Amino acid sequence: MSIELKLSRASRIYQPSEPLEGKIIVKSSSSISHYGVRLTVNGSVNLQIRGGSAGIIESLYGVVKPISILNKSTEVRPSGKIGSGTTEIPFSVFLRQPGKDNLERFYETFHGANISAQYLVTVDIIRGYLHKTLSATVEFIVESDKDDLLERPVSPEMVIFYITQDTQRHPLLLELKSGGFRVTGKMSTQCSLSDPITGELTVEASAVPIYSIDIHLLRVESILLGEKIVTEASLIQSTQMEMSVII
């Protein structure tokens, strides 16, 4: 006997205003009696332990309680029997009730180094005290509705930056300290996760030759502990830029 949860979308991506749809697939060599088929949708924000050296946020594991985002349960089928062979039971559950003014906030799915915002759908076929409950769980992805965005569409915000020997906190070569260097540029600080990060960079001066330029994308995770905000950054992507020399 087996039970499987299959969502209507292979990507498993849904918006809060959309129904979470799919089917429950039960395969059994004989008919079974049950006391109801129940579907539960849960969402929560948690601290997590991944092993390795403990960071600032990770050291607070056990102090910060999980935050519940969503907890909804519904009976898909009342008590009865499921026949032998393969049985498919369709379901449809709204994450956010349509037609009502809801103040509830749905955080987008996020899996960071220390923090995760996760949504799970679980089906339980309850079979009484003498039989073990049949269960299956699948994670689905929540993306914000366009109506939830502060601006539609989000206008890009360009930030101008510069890098010199005076802005660096790590030790530099003597040639750089005496001769100096200056790099200027600008980049967009607002973009969709599906769009590229755009910008430009200009090396105005350098006392030593430059052989490569790397761009590091950092993930910054923060939690509010009392009146203090604890923040930790981790590297998620490093890209080497192509260089062209103009003489």
Short mmCIF file of all heavy atoms in Angstrom, two decimals, residues 98-135:
data_model
loop_
_atom_site.label_atom_id
_atom_site.label_comp_id
_atom_site.label_asym_id
_atom_site.label_seq_id
_atom_site.Cartn_x
_atom_site.Cartn_y
_atom_site.Cartn_z
N PRO A 98 -10.42 33.98 -0.88
CA PRO A 98 -10.75 35.02 -1.86
C PRO A 98 -11.95 35.85 -1.41
O PRO A 98 -12.83 35.37 -0.68
CB PRO A 98 -11.08 34.22 -3.12
CG PRO A 98 -11.54 32.89 -2.62
CD PRO A 98 -10.74 32.63 -1.36
N GLY A 99 -11.98 37.11 -1.86
CA GLY A 99 -13.13 37.96 -1.59
C GLY A 99 -13.18 38.56 -0.21
O GLY A 99 -14.18 39.16 0.18
N LYS A 100 -12.12 38.41 0.58
CA LYS A 100 -12.09 38.95 1.92
C LYS A 100 -10.85 39.82 2.11
O LYS A 100 -9.83 39.61 1.47
CB LYS A 100 -12.11 37.83 2.97
CG LYS A 100 -13.40 37.04 3.01
CD LYS A 100 -13.37 36.04 4.17
CE LYS A 100 -14.68 35.27 4.25
NZ LYS A 100 -14.68 34.31 5.38
N ASP A 101 -10.98 40.80 2.99
CA ASP A 101 -9.83 41.65 3.32
C ASP A 101 -8.97 40.93 4.34
O ASP A 101 -9.29 40.85 5.52
CB ASP A 101 -10.29 42.99 3.88
CG ASP A 101 -11.04 43.81 2.83
OD1 ASP A 101 -10.75 43.63 1.64
OD2 ASP A 101 -11.91 44.60 3.22
N ASN A 102 -7.87 40.37 3.86
CA ASN A 102 -6.98 39.61 4.74
C ASN A 102 -5.75 40.43 5.06
O ASN A 102 -5.10 40.98 4.17
CB ASN A 102 -6.55 38.29 4.07
CG ASN A 102 -7.65 37.25 4.12
OD1 ASN A 102 -7.98 36.75 5.18
ND2 ASN A 102 -8.21 36.94 2.96
N LEU A 103 -5.42 40.51 6.34
CA LEU A 103 -4.21 41.20 6.76
C LEU A 103 -3.05 40.25 6.92
O LEU A 103 -1.93 40.67 7.23
CB LEU A 103 -4.47 41.92 8.10
CG LEU A 103 -5.56 43.00 8.06
CD1 LEU A 103 -5.74 43.61 9.46
CD2 LEU A 103 -5.24 44.09 7.05
N GLU A 104 -3.30 38.94 6.72
CA GLU A 104 -2.24 37.95 6.89
C GLU A 104 -1.17 38.14 5.82
O GLU A 104 -1.47 38.48 4.67
CB GLU A 104 -2.81 36.53 6.84
CG GLU A 104 -3.56 36.22 5.56
CD GLU A 104 -4.24 34.87 5.61
OE1 GLU A 104 -3.88 34.07 6.50
OE2 GLU A 104 -5.10 34.62 4.77
N ARG A 105 0.07 37.93 6.20
CA ARG A 105 1.19 38.13 5.28
C ARG A 105 1.84 36.80 4.96
O ARG A 105 2.11 36.00 5.86
CB ARG A 105 2.21 39.08 5.90
CG ARG A 105 3.41 39.36 4.99
CD ARG A 105 4.32 40.39 5.60
NE ARG A 105 5.45 40.68 4.73
CZ ARG A 105 6.40 41.54 5.03
NH1 ARG A 105 6.35 42.20 6.18
NH2 ARG A 105 7.41 41.75 4.20
N PHE A 106 2.07 36.56 3.67
CA PHE A 106 2.72 35.34 3.23
C PHE A 106 4.15 35.68 2.81
O PHE A 106 4.36 36.37 1.81
CB PHE A 106 1.97 34.72 2.04
CG PHE A 106 0.70 34.04 2.43
CD1 PHE A 106 -0.47 34.76 2.60
CD2 PHE A 106 0.65 32.68 2.64
CE1 PHE A 106 -1.64 34.15 2.96
CE2 PHE A 106 -0.51 32.04 3.01
CZ PHE A 106 -1.67 32.78 3.17
N TYR A 107 5.11 35.22 3.58
CA TYR A 107 6.51 35.40 3.20
C TYR A 107 6.84 34.42 2.08
O TYR A 107 6.36 33.29 2.06
CB TYR A 107 7.43 35.14 4.39
CG TYR A 107 7.27 36.13 5.52
CD1 TYR A 107 6.42 35.85 6.58
CD2 TYR A 107 7.96 37.33 5.51
CE1 TYR A 107 6.26 36.76 7.62
CE2 TYR A 107 7.80 38.25 6.54
CZ TYR A 107 6.95 37.95 7.59
OH TYR A 107 6.79 38.85 8.61
N GLU A 108 7.66 34.86 1.15
CA GLU A 108 8.04 33.98 0.06
C GLU A 108 8.91 32.84 0.59
O GLU A 108 9.62 32.99 1.60
CB GLU A 108 8.81 34.76 -1.01
CG GLU A 108 7.93 35.70 -1.82
CD GLU A 108 8.64 36.23 -3.04
OE1 GLU A 108 9.85 36.52 -2.95
OE2 GLU A 108 8.01 36.35 -4.10
N THR A 109 8.85 31.71 -0.10
CA THR A 109 9.69 30.58 0.27
C THR A 109 11.16 30.98 0.21
O THR A 109 11.61 31.63 -0.73
CB THR A 109 9.44 29.39 -0.69
OG1 THR A 109 8.10 28.93 -0.51
CG2 THR A 109 10.40 28.25 -0.40
N PHE A 110 11.90 30.61 1.25
CA PHE A 110 13.31 30.99 1.34
C PHE A 110 14.07 29.90 2.09
O PHE A 110 13.64 29.43 3.14
CB PHE A 110 13.47 32.32 2.09
CG PHE A 110 14.90 32.72 2.35
CD1 PHE A 110 15.68 33.23 1.34
CD2 PHE A 110 15.46 32.58 3.62
CE1 PHE A 110 17.00 33.60 1.57
CE2 PHE A 110 16.77 32.94 3.87
CZ PHE A 110 17.54 33.46 2.84
N HIS A 111 15.19 29.45 1.51
CA HIS A 111 16.06 28.48 2.17
C HIS A 111 17.46 29.07 2.24
O HIS A 111 18.21 29.05 1.27
CB HIS A 111 16.08 27.15 1.40
CG HIS A 111 14.78 26.41 1.46
ND1 HIS A 111 14.38 25.73 2.57
CD2 HIS A 111 13.79 26.26 0.54
CE1 HIS A 111 13.20 25.17 2.35
NE2 HIS A 111 12.81 25.50 1.13
N GLY A 112 17.77 29.65 3.38
CA GLY A 112 19.07 30.27 3.58
C GLY A 112 20.02 29.36 4.33
O GLY A 112 19.75 28.18 4.55
N ALA A 113 21.15 29.93 4.73
CA ALA A 113 22.14 29.16 5.48
C ALA A 113 21.66 28.90 6.90
O ALA A 113 21.93 27.86 7.49
CB ALA A 113 23.47 29.89 5.49
N ASN A 114 20.92 29.86 7.48
CA ASN A 114 20.48 29.74 8.86
C ASN A 114 18.98 29.86 9.03
O ASN A 114 18.43 29.41 10.03
CB ASN A 114 21.14 30.84 9.72
CG ASN A 114 22.65 30.80 9.64
OD1 ASN A 114 23.29 29.93 10.20
ND2 ASN A 114 23.23 31.75 8.91
N ILE A 115 18.29 30.49 8.07
CA ILE A 115 16.86 30.76 8.19
C ILE A 115 16.13 30.15 7.00
O ILE A 115 16.63 30.19 5.87
CB ILE A 115 16.61 32.28 8.24
CG1 ILE A 115 17.34 32.90 9.43
CG2 ILE A 115 15.11 32.58 8.32
CD1 ILE A 115 17.33 34.41 9.45
N SER A 116 14.96 29.59 7.25
CA SER A 116 14.15 29.04 6.17
C SER A 116 12.69 29.44 6.36
O SER A 116 12.18 29.46 7.48
CB SER A 116 14.27 27.52 6.10
OG SER A 116 13.63 26.92 7.22
N ALA A 117 12.03 29.80 5.26
CA ALA A 117 10.59 30.01 5.22
C ALA A 117 10.04 28.91 4.31
O ALA A 117 10.31 28.90 3.10
CB ALA A 117 10.25 31.39 4.69
N GLN A 118 9.31 27.98 4.89
CA GLN A 118 8.95 26.75 4.18
C GLN A 118 7.45 26.49 4.29
O GLN A 118 6.83 26.73 5.32
CB GLN A 118 9.72 25.56 4.76
CG GLN A 118 9.56 24.27 3.98
CD GLN A 118 10.42 23.16 4.56
OE1 GLN A 118 10.55 23.04 5.77
NE2 GLN A 118 11.00 22.33 3.72
N TYR A 119 6.89 25.97 3.18
CA TYR A 119 5.47 25.62 3.12
C TYR A 119 5.34 24.15 2.75
O TYR A 119 5.96 23.69 1.77
CB TYR A 119 4.74 26.49 2.09
CG TYR A 119 4.72 27.95 2.43
CD1 TYR A 119 5.78 28.78 2.08
CD2 TYR A 119 3.64 28.51 3.11
CE1 TYR A 119 5.77 30.13 2.39
CE2 TYR A 119 3.62 29.87 3.42
CZ TYR A 119 4.68 30.67 3.06
OH TYR A 119 4.68 32.00 3.37
N LEU A 120 4.54 23.42 3.52
CA LEU A 120 4.36 21.98 3.32
C LEU A 120 2.87 21.65 3.26
O LEU A 120 2.07 22.24 3.99
CB LEU A 120 5.01 21.17 4.45
CG LEU A 120 6.51 21.36 4.68
CD1 LEU A 120 6.94 20.65 5.96
CD2 LEU A 120 7.31 20.85 3.49
N VAL A 121 2.52 20.70 2.39
CA VAL A 121 1.16 20.17 2.36
C VAL A 121 1.24 18.68 2.70
O VAL A 121 2.07 17.96 2.15
CB VAL A 121 0.49 20.41 0.98
CG1 VAL A 121 1.33 19.86 -0.16
CG2 VAL A 121 -0.91 19.79 0.97
N THR A 122 0.41 18.25 3.62
CA THR A 122 0.44 16.87 4.12
C THR A 122 -0.95 16.26 4.01
O THR A 122 -1.95 16.92 4.31
CB THR A 122 0.89 16.83 5.59
OG1 THR A 122 2.20 17.39 5.70
CG2 THR A 122 0.93 15.39 6.11
N VAL A 123 -1.01 15.02 3.55
CA VAL A 123 -2.26 14.28 3.52
C VAL A 123 -2.17 13.13 4.52
O VAL A 123 -1.14 12.47 4.63
CB VAL A 123 -2.58 13.74 2.11
CG1 VAL A 123 -1.48 12.82 1.59
CG2 VAL A 123 -3.92 13.02 2.09
N ASP A 124 -3.24 12.94 5.27
CA ASP A 124 -3.34 11.85 6.24
C ASP A 124 -4.60 11.05 5.98
O ASP A 124 -5.70 11.62 5.92
CB ASP A 124 -3.37 12.39 7.68
CG ASP A 124 -2.07 13.06 8.09
OD1 ASP A 124 -1.02 12.44 7.90
OD2 ASP A 124 -2.13 14.20 8.59
N ILE A 125 -4.44 9.74 5.83
CA ILE A 125 -5.59 8.83 5.75
C ILE A 125 -5.68 8.13 7.09
O ILE A 125 -4.85 7.29 7.43
CB ILE A 125 -5.43 7.81 4.60
CG1 ILE A 125 -5.32 8.54 3.25
CG2 ILE A 125 -6.59 6.84 4.58
CD1 ILE A 125 -5.15 7.61 2.07
N ILE A 126 -6.68 8.52 7.89
CA ILE A 126 -6.81 8.05 9.26
C ILE A 126 -7.50 6.69 9.27
O ILE A 126 -8.61 6.54 8.75
CB ILE A 126 -7.61 9.06 10.10
CG1 ILE A 126 -6.94 10.44 10.01
CG2 ILE A 126 -7.70 8.61 11.56
CD1 ILE A 126 -7.78 11.56 10.53
N ARG A 127 -6.84 5.70 9.90
CA ARG A 127 -7.35 4.33 9.85
C ARG A 127 -7.70 3.75 11.22
O ARG A 127 -7.90 2.57 11.37
CB ARG A 127 -6.33 3.43 9.15
CG ARG A 127 -5.97 3.89 7.73
CD ARG A 127 -5.20 2.85 7.00
NE ARG A 127 -5.99 1.62 6.88
CZ ARG A 127 -5.47 0.40 6.73
NH1 ARG A 127 -4.15 0.26 6.71
NH2 ARG A 127 -6.23 -0.65 6.62
N GLY A 128 -7.74 4.58 12.25
CA GLY A 128 -8.13 4.10 13.57
C GLY A 128 -6.95 3.63 14.40
O GLY A 128 -5.79 3.69 13.99
N TYR A 129 -7.26 3.12 15.60
CA TYR A 129 -6.22 2.75 16.56
C TYR A 129 -5.43 1.51 16.15
O TYR A 129 -4.27 1.35 16.50
CB TYR A 129 -6.84 2.51 17.94
CG TYR A 129 -7.46 3.76 18.53
CD1 TYR A 129 -8.84 3.92 18.58
CD2 TYR A 129 -6.66 4.79 19.02
CE1 TYR A 129 -9.41 5.07 19.12
CE2 TYR A 129 -7.22 5.94 19.56
CZ TYR A 129 -8.60 6.07 19.60
OH TYR A 129 -9.16 7.20 20.12
N LEU A 130 -6.02 0.60 15.43
CA LEU A 130 -5.36 -0.66 15.12
C LEU A 130 -4.49 -0.58 13.87
O LEU A 130 -3.75 -1.52 13.57
CB LEU A 130 -6.41 -1.77 14.94
CG LEU A 130 -7.28 -2.05 16.17
CD1 LEU A 130 -8.30 -3.15 15.85
CD2 LEU A 130 -6.43 -2.46 17.36
N HIS A 131 -4.57 0.52 13.15
CA HIS A 131 -3.80 0.65 11.91
C HIS A 131 -3.06 1.98 11.91
O HIS A 131 -3.56 2.99 12.42
CB HIS A 131 -4.72 0.57 10.68
CG HIS A 131 -5.46 -0.73 10.57
ND1 HIS A 131 -4.91 -1.86 10.04
CD2 HIS A 131 -6.73 -1.04 10.94
CE1 HIS A 131 -5.80 -2.84 10.08
NE2 HIS A 131 -6.91 -2.37 10.62
N LYS A 132 -1.90 1.98 11.31
CA LYS A 132 -1.09 3.18 11.23
C LYS A 132 -1.67 4.15 10.20
O LYS A 132 -2.10 3.74 9.12
CB LYS A 132 0.35 2.82 10.84
CG LYS A 132 1.31 4.00 10.85
CD LYS A 132 2.71 3.54 10.51
CE LYS A 132 3.68 4.73 10.50
NZ LYS A 132 5.06 4.29 10.15
N THR A 133 -1.70 5.43 10.54
CA THR A 133 -2.18 6.46 9.62
C THR A 133 -1.25 6.56 8.41
O THR A 133 -0.03 6.60 8.56
CB THR A 133 -2.26 7.83 10.32
OG1 THR A 133 -3.20 7.75 11.40
CG2 THR A 133 -2.72 8.91 9.36
N LEU A 134 -1.83 6.59 7.22
CA LEU A 134 -1.04 6.73 5.99
C LEU A 134 -0.84 8.22 5.71
O LEU A 134 -1.81 8.99 5.69
CB LEU A 134 -1.76 6.07 4.82
CG LEU A 134 -2.05 4.56 4.96
CD1 LEU A 134 -2.86 4.08 3.77
CD2 LEU A 134 -0.75 3.79 5.07
N SER A 135 0.41 8.63 5.50
CA SER A 135 0.72 10.05 5.33
C SER A 135 1.70 10.27 4.19
O SER A 135 2.51 9.38 3.87
CB SER A 135 1.29 10.65 6.62
OG SER A 135 0.39 10.51 7.70
#
